[in-house]
């Protein structure tokens, strides 16, 4: 489970309850034009003045006669307009109320939706138990850059207007996947709001711009487009964190969030998208019959929205991947403690540590499309013995080189699957560990912490491993498809039959979960035992991403996100565009050069009306140009990363 959510708000928002997107959007919409100009300045000091009362309400005082009070509902969030009141004469159309709502974190849509019951396992297999999980995937990265360019241009279909009817089924899309007229209109409105937000950038993307996105996101949710809504909420949170200069915000993440939002909304607005892009609010659990699953490892889950817990990865007897997760509000403390918490599945008397090294026989299982095992009524689970890595169904995880496993992973997956490999430690390179697979001619790989939080032992365990060159170990992890030849290990163990490998306690059953278990000196072979290290450890080698001129395109796109359209227009002047195009063409990235040139030209375009006066340039044309360059860049980088594994 990746941890990719942006901060929900700036520092000091801890006392303020979460607010439903539509409540904030309505409050901003009700402001006059004069008050909207003052909104960003009014928001800045709200969080610091928040006071929580004994009844759970939170109040913020503005002078003597204006006190804003938030009374969250049963979900812990402000979901109705009358749950936010102000004592001033202009309420509820006042600046005070809108400012406090704007300073509050945005509530997750899933947290505001009552949970769907899991299906009765005795019902007919395949019965629909409710909406499925939103995939939340970034734009599919094709294996070739040209494919991404074609896909980006295909997105740019005509957006439907308010009077549109249901889109006709495009070639290759079944009638059951055709969008309704309401969905097309909602997607078109979201596309327009996203284009305006992109043109504004972080510098001008204040509360008013964010409110327009939130209103469009709420409309998308009502129309049954939860994936589009989730993408919009990620952008809003990213804008907030960037404007607050939050340490958790990365410009690259906000750039990816904009790409995902524009891609999703644009394709939906064209009417050419199927059910895969609409998503669904809740996971759908289907009857899975009787299963026998074996534990692989545990992974801490820590979300910036305040949730924490654990996900235990399992493997079925037929090689299918499953997981059992326990994620609740509680943050870091919850993530650390959940690793030894009891497994809430069918009455199994087992904790997550035992399940990661053992197994379960599940009768009447319910399974989501992502492989998550449900704990509905009728599910019965009995602990069984586990299997060592490389034995039974786990043998397939370690049976082929990592490069082949990465190449076989679907490009459209939001999160790559687990892979295993046997490696020899070469040494440290910054916070990474350089390793080489135990196969002839294998390239150097980098092991990076699966989660960088200092309170989780990922980084500390990797530092100990890096300090033991020549060590042979078995690694189970998830490839990082945004970095060259990088694997983020979740667990490690000794290589069977290897002389210089890890020496783990018997109760660990041959594996150490790097997010929970802490490796000690006794777990490594002694310094006098003749570890076989490489005589002259090689340099990590050229990084195809860092050394490629594509970084210039990435910088241009990120400049547009940070400074808006104006920043890209400034980059179009002077000698920089010619240097960018020349560097890209010399490296063989001709399409990237063309798309970057088209982006800068559109950003600097200044149209005039019939009387020769300067008119506002179209934000949508600029957004299409930006999206085409961003989609091409994502696919090109994915191709370079895939090549680095070979």
């Amino acid at each position: 489970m990746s941890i990719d959510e942006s901060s929900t708000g700036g520092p000091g928002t801890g006392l303020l309850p979460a607010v439903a997107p539509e409540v904030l959007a309505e409050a901003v919409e009700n402001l006059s034009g004069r008050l909207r100009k003052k909104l960003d300045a009014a928001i800045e000091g709200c969080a610091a003045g928040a006071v929580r009362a004994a009844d759970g309400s939170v109040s913020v005082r503005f002078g003597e006669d204006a006190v804003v009070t938030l009374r969250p509902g049963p979900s812990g969030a402000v979901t109705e307009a009358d749950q936010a009141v102000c004592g001033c004469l202009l309420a509820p159309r006042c600046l005070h109320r809108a400012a406090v709502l704007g300073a509050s974190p945005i509530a997750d849509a899933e947290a505001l939706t009552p949970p769907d019951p899991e299906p009765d396992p005795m019902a007919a297999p395949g019965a629909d138990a409710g909406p499925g999980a939103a995939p939340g995937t970034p734009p599919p990265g094709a294996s070739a850059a040209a494919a991404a360019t074609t896909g980006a241009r295909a997105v740019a279909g005509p957006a439907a207007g308010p009077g549109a009817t249901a889109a006709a089924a495009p070639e290759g899309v079944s009638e059951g996947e055709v969008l309704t007229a309401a969905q097309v209109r909602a997607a078109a409105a979201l596309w327009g709001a996203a284009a305006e937000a992109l043109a504004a950038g972080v510098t001008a993307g204040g509360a008013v711009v964010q409110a327009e996105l939130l209103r469009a996101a709420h409309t998308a949710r009502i129309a049954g487009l939860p994936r589009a809504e989730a993408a919009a909420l990620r952008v809003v949170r990213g804008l907030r964190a960037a404007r607050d200069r939050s340490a958790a915000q990365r410009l690259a993440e906000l750039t990816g969030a904009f790409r995902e939002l524009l891609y999703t909304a644009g394709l939906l607005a064209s009417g050419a998208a199927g059910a895969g892009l609409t998503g669904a609010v809740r996971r759908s659990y289907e009857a899975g019959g009787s299963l026998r699953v074996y534990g692989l490892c545990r992974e801490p889950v820590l979300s910036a929205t305040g949730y924490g817990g654990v996900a235990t990865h399992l493997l079925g007897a037929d090689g299918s991947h499953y997981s059992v997760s326990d994620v609740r509000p509680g943050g870091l403390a919850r993530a650390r403690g959940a690793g030894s918490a009891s497994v809430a599945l069918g009455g199994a008397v087992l904790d997550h540590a035992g399940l990661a090294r053992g197994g379960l026989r599940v009768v009447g299982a319910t399974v989501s499309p992502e492989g998550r095992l449900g704990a509905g009524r009728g599910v019965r689970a009995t602990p069984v013995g586990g299997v060592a890595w490389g034995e039974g169904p786990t043998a397939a995880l370690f049976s082929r080189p990592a490069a082949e496993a990465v190449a076989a992973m679907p490009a459209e997956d939001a999160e790559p699957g687990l892979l295993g490999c046997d490696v020899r430690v070469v040494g440290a390179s910054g916070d990474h560990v350089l390793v080489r697979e135990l196969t002839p001619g294998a390239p150097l790989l980098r092991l990076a912490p699966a989660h960088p939080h200092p309170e989780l032992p990922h980084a500390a365990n990797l530092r100990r491993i890096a300090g033991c060159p020549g060590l042979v170990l078995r690694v189970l992890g998830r490839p990082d498809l945004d970095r060259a030849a990088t694997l983020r290990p979740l667990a490690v163990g000794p290589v069977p039959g290897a002389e210089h490998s890890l020496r783990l306690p018997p109760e660990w059953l041959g594996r150490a979960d790097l997010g929970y278990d802490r490796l000690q000196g006794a777990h490594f072979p002694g310094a006098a035992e003749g570890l076989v290290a490489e005589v002259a450890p090689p340099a990590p080698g050229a990084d195809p991403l860092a050394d490629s001129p594509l970084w210039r395109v990435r910088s241009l796109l990120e400049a547009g996100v940070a400074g808006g359209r104006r920043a890209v227009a400034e980059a179009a002047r002077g000698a920089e565009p010619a240097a960018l195009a020349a560097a890209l063409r010399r490296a063989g990235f001709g399409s990237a050069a063309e798309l970057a040139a088209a982006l800068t030209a559109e950003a600097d375009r200044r149209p005039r009306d019939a009387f020769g006066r300067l008119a506002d340039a179209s934000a949508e044309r600029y957004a299409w140009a930006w999206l085409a360059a961003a989609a091409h860049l994502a696919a090109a980088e994915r191709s370079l990363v895939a090549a680095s594994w070979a």
Side-chain angles (χ1 to χ4, degrees), residues 566-593:
R566 184 173 301 178
V568 178
E570 290 295 330
R573 305 184 181 106
E576 182 62 25
L580 169 62
L584 290 171
R585 288 194 173 93
R586 281 196 304 268
F589 296 107
S591 296

Side-chain angles (χ1 to χ4, degrees), residues 160-165 180-190 219:
T165 58
T180 65
Q183 288 177 320
V184 173
R185 288 195 298 269
L190 184 57
T219 304

Side-chain angles (χ1 to χ4, degrees), residues 235-259:
V235 169
V236 171
R237 292 190 179 106
L239 286 172
R240 284 186 165 200
R243 289 177 63 84
D244 292 336
R245 295 178 175 83
S246 170
Q249 174 58 31
R250 299 291 184 270
L251 188 57
E253 295 176 0
L254 181 55
T255 302
F258 262 113
R259 184 185 70 239

Side-chain angles (χ1 to χ4, degrees), residues 275-290:
L277 272 181
T278 59
V281 177
R282 287 280 174 177
R283 293 180 176 89
S284 62
Y285 286 86
E286 295 185 353
S290 297

Side-chain angles (χ1 to χ4, degrees), residues 84-95:
V85 297
C86 179
C88 76
L89 296 177
L90 292 179
R93 301 174 179 268
C94 62
L95 179 64

Side-chain angles (χ1 to χ4, degrees), residues 36-59:
R36 289 188 183 190
K37 296 179 181 179
K38 300 180 179 180
L39 182 56
D40 289 327
I43 287 175
E44 292 182 1
C46 290
V51 178
R52 187 183 299 276
D55 61 354
S57 64
V58 178
S59 61

Side-chain angles (χ1 to χ4, degrees), residues 532-547:
V532 182
E534 296 193 15
V535 178
D543 187 327
L545 291 184
D547 298 340

